[in-house]
Amino acid sequence: MSGSVTPLRAGNGSVVRPVREDRRALDGDDRTARAVWSALVEPGDRAAGLLLAAHGAPAALAGVRAAVGAASGAGSPEGVVARLVEPLGEDDRRGARRALARWAVRLPGLAPDGGLRDHLTAGGRLVVPGDEDWPPGLDDLRETAPPALWVRGTLPAAGRRAVALVGARAATPYGEHVASRLAGDLARAGLVVVSGGAYGIDAAAHRGALAAGGTTLVVVAGGVDRPYPAGNARLLAAAVEQGGAVLAEVPPGALPTRTRFLQRNRLIAAIAGATVVVEAAWRSGALSTARHAAGLLRPVGAVPGPVTSAASAGCHRIVREEAATLVTDADDVRELVEPVGTVDAPDAPPDTGAPLTGAPATTRGPEDVDPVAARVHDALPRRVARPDGDVAAAAGVTLREAQDALAVLELGGWAQRTATGWRAAVPT
Amino acid sequence: MSGSVTPLRAGNGSVVRPVREDRRALDGDDRTARAVWSALVEPGDRAAGLLLAAHGAPAALAGVRAAVGAASGAGSPEGVVARLVEPLGEDDRRGARRALARWAVRLPGLAPDGGLRDHLTAGGRLVVPGDEDWPPGLDDLRETAPPALWVRGTLPAAGRRAVALVGARAATPYGEHVASRLAGDLARAGLVVVSGGAYGIDAAAHRGALAAGGTTLVVVAGGVDRPYPAGNARLLAAAVEQGGAVLAEVPPGALPTRTRFLQRNRLIAAIAGATVVVEAAWRSGALSTARHAAGLLRPVGAVPGPVTSAASAGCHRIVREEAATLVTDADDVRELVEPVGTVDAPDAPPDTGAPLTGAPATTRGPEDVDPVAARVHDALPRRVARPDGDVAAAAGVTLREAQDALAVLELGGWAQRTATGWRAAVPT
């Protein structure tokens, strides 16, 4: 992305001079510049996304350093800033100028590499756009896409289908059971499960996928070095050990604040091909993930539950609002992310019947033969056999119709011929 | 309806001569003729409906008697039959001729009044089109509308809103609880509850409505003199005593056969303004009622339940197929039958929040003030107060933004000013 961007130049035509030499070397590297960007801005910062797109991460960062230095009196403020925001639209220019004021507060306290070296030393990876394992769905976030992902573990190769299973921390045993079962079934079907790192539905989903030998991605709101809540630290470690990952858009050490949680939800929605809300109260953070998914035109599913359970009220609400499709099992979920027809037909439930609309079901009983046979079968005595004329009168059909129907019913094992007439039979 | 119809005349121009004189007197009365028709035909007999519409019930019945008599050798068969079916379309004529053969089997065994006198003597009513209490929705069934309704008790005046609550006999305690609660809430809102007379959801719905002092209609598949199952006899009697009714389209004495159950479902769907499936397995008779309601362009609702419960699988299926709207309470149900805006806004759930789409919710916390205030609030230390500059850096906002936000947060009771700076506060 940055390769094709003209280097940012100050008003006098010379390349902007970074504030400190050791920073320039680092900033010149796209990966390091993105690490710094992700430490500099809060998640979802639109002004940052616009500047990264306009200049590339290194040049945009150099421009910010110069502008902040200029604002501190180290140069001509207006020329540097104007040059930085010049490629943006008018409203966005104003937004970027305000953003510079925000960034100026935090910039002096940042490590020159944004903490990247320590992260790599600890065995982590920084994944940036263009990397093979950069989740392609993140590009749909456009200017609010994260500058980089801080990763512990392994991201699945692009193209692996991923499904977000989200829901309330205050989950019920029912919700946790369903989350775990869905995740296991999806993992067995080869899908990657994506969720947060919280107790409740998040943890149940990861546990279910891991128990089935699957891959899970834990998208956390704070730094990947800070498992939160601490009680899930072993679960997150297991996700990494089993070929998945813990990932964040904020650098190691960052606290999982409430606004970061809400922004984290957009990452989950963007990485996954579909988002399923397993259990959520009327107002629940999980619905924010669904909202992001809907905004990205991703399919949204919701698992129903008892109407007597407040923990399912949010799921019912988004189905009622037609913002979500009701899903009951992994096949339903797979239909959200896989092209129609590629999901194996589910095993017929024990009680498979005719759909409310569409093609009739396969023959199951005399009522499926034809209406006359059904009526004749209804009219058959259960114990004492009766002549066919009596059966015809009872059924309200002609003698001929009754005789035809009785022949069919006998073939099907539903009618029995005796010396004195006909009676109903139970198929063997 | 029959008043404007030209009497059926035989080929020679004289009025068709009924087979027996005592029958003619009775047949001449629309009500009695309809009683006989309902005893003669099986529910939903299209040929009967077409002939009734073409000739009126008395003349159509006289024609059938003449045709059957003629077919027995008492006259010119072809002329009588041709005259009877003449107003019908070509396919329907063939259908009516086949129907005559069916009816000929049953006609000789019928009482001349179809059993009407005994029914009236027993305190019953026969309700026919044009009666004040004829349910107007039945007319939507057109040629498969019943010729008459056999009623024990009182039908509500036309226009009273009615909702069908249907579901499986093999209901779970959850399903029965929800059916009873929904019915009670609907009854308290002044709606009439319609259902069958079976165990399970049907019985729970009637019980709930009756306990709330409401009116219920029990639509049975056999004769109204034969409570089926017998265990619900007292419940059906209570429905009648409390101002509701037990009703059927087949005459007293008729057996509740399987085909009559299925046809009975169309009556429930047609009488009610909307049908709600409370609990139904993947294949369930209750879905047939929903199918009829959909065919009549009536709204269909379905109550969700645990995905682990097979008893809710049919409900989930019709919501997934978008044939039904998910409903969770009586307000949701009322929205199906009452014009938008007339249902009182439901009491806000304790955890009311922003909808997935649409207008934002009312202010609840600092996160609803504005994004900057939310970030600043996130950055506030919980215990040891910090200067505003530290808060600004932690939040990633300018000092000025932090100061503005802190002022708003203090007003809202979410931030507390101390001698050494700011910390978070919990609103009282």
Side-chain angles (χ1 to χ4, degrees), chain B residues 308-334:
Chain B
T308 47
S309 167
S312 288
C315 293
H316 297 154
R317 170 181 159 193
I318 60 178
V319 170
R320 259 183 80 70
E321 290 171 355
E322 297 179 6
T325 301
L326 185 149
V327 295
T328 64
D329 60 20
D331 285 316
D332 288 352
V333 173
R334 289 172 63 194

Side-chain angles (χ1 to χ4, degrees), chain A residues 42 101-102 106 174 258-259 283 291 306-307 317 320 323 326 335 351-352 354-356 364 375 378 396 398, chain B residues 42 101 106 174 258-259 282-283 291 307 317 320 323 326 335 351 354-356 364 375 378 394 396 398:
Chain A
E42 282 297 306
R102 289 200 298 274
R106 198 181 272 175
Y174 163 74
R258 186 183 163 99
T259 45
R283 179 191 180 92
R291 213 173 287 130
V307 296
R317 169 181 159 195
R320 259 183 79 72
L326 186 149
E335 283 187 12
D351 205 8
T352 297
L356 202 58
R364 284 186 71 253
R375 276 210 235 158
D378 279 345
T398 64
Chain B
E42 281 297 307
R106 197 180 271 175
Y174 164 73
R258 186 183 165 101
T259 45
W282 191 260
R283 180 191 179 89
R291 213 173 286 130
V307 297
R317 170 181 159 193
R320 259 183 80 70
L326 185 149
E335 283 187 12
D351 206 6
L356 203 59
R364 284 186 72 254
R375 276 210 235 157
D378 280 345
T398 63

Side-chain angles (χ1 to χ4, degrees), chain A residues 298-327:
Chain A
R298 302 275 202 281
V300 176
V303 176
V307 296
T308 47
S309 167
S312 288
C315 293
H316 296 153
R317 169 181 159 195
I318 60 178
V319 171
R320 259 183 79 72
E321 290 170 355
E322 298 179 6
T325 301
L326 186 149
V327 296

Side-chain angles (χ1 to χ4, degrees), chain A residues 372-420:
Chain A
V372 171
R375 276 210 235 158
V376 170
H377 185 257
D378 279 345
L380 282 176
R382 308 284 137 180
R383 285 186 249 170
V384 183
R386 300 277 296 277
D388 48 14
D390 289 6
V391 174
V397 302
T398 64
L399 180 59
R400 178 70 172 273
E401 285 175 326
Q403 288 166 341
D404 288 350
L406 286 166
V408 173
L409 290 170
E410 188 181 21
L411 276 175
W414 299 301
Q416 192 181 359
R417 190 197 305 255
T418 74
T420 56

Side-chain angles (χ1 to χ4, degrees), chain A residues 306-308, chain B residues 165-168 170-183 200-202 204-205 277-280 303-306 309 311-312 315:
Chain A
V307 296
T308 47
Chain B
L165 296 182
V166 300
T172 68
Y174 164 73
E176 296 194 6
H177 168 77
V178 173
S180 181
R181 199 186 61 178
L182 272 183
I201 298 301
D202 289 11
V277 185
V278 177
E279 204 172 52
V303 176
S309 167
S312 288
C315 293

